[in-house]
Amino acid sequence: MEQPVPSDAKRVSDADRGMVAGQLKKAHAEGRLDLNEFDERTRLVWEARTFGELAAVTADLPDVRQPVPWSRSELVQEPASTSAPTAEVARRPEGRGSAVMRVATGAWFAASLVNFVIWAIVVFTEGMVYPWWIWVAGPWGALLVAGYILGLGRDNRG
């Protein structure tokens, strides 16, 4: 009968390496790693073959989730976390990108409404006129819709 392979000796995937490389990038952005150390550790991550090698690269960094080797028979649900939000969550409750898109949408709505009201006043006083307010609301609104579809309103840091 074959001996089971220890978790640290199981091979990693490119996705696992990419996850750890992203954590190193975050640690570098926070000032935990200088550029040379970040470069060296990133090289080690992409050369790693096992989970043990990946764990060694980030062992001294706080709050780093290690990729976990799994098989269908080893799946275990993690307990729900009841701890307080982390400092990063408290510092940045929502993404800056979403706030920018909300402000842009509010400005578009206000400008469109003002132009529509002016047009409506002219229609009621002078009779039917060309709906020129559409040229204010339409292109700007189309750009906002495209931005939301492309995900410009989401914060992709993390």
Side-chain angles (χ1 to χ4, degrees), residues 24-153:
L24 290 176
K25 181 179 178 182
K26 181 178 177 185
H28 174 62
E30 292 173 344
R32 298 183 193 279
L33 300 173
D34 63 24
L35 185 58
N36 290 332
E37 193 173 15
F38 170 71
D39 185 49
E40 179 184 341
R41 289 185 187 211
T42 302
R43 184 182 51 77
L44 291 173
V45 163
W46 290 106
E47 291 175 354
R49 291 186 178 174
T50 65
F51 284 98
E53 292 172 359
L54 279 182
V57 173
T58 58
D60 62 338
L61 296 174
D63 299 330
V64 174
R65 286 187 174 169
Q66 297 297 330
V68 179
W70 64 277
S71 67
R72 292 184 193 275
S73 62
E74 296 174 346
L75 288 178
V76 177
Q77 289 194 352
E78 294 183 21
S81 175
T82 58
S83 63
T86 63
E88 183 177 353
V89 172
R91 184 175 68 242
R92 184 168 54 91
E94 63 184 35
R96 181 177 176 269
S98 61
V100 169
M101 289 300 283
R102 267 199 314 272
V103 169
T105 303
W108 167 81
F109 181 75
S112 298
L113 183 64
V114 166
N115 280 278
F116 178 79
V117 168
I118 292 171
W119 174 81
I121 291 170
V122 170
V123 165
F124 287 123
T125 58
E126 301 293 323
M128 185 61 184
V129 295
Y130 182 76
W132 51 266
W133 64 272
I134 293 174
W135 292 105
V136 175
W140 191 0
L143 288 174
L144 283 172
V145 168
Y148 278 113
I149 291 171
L150 295 174
L152 298 178

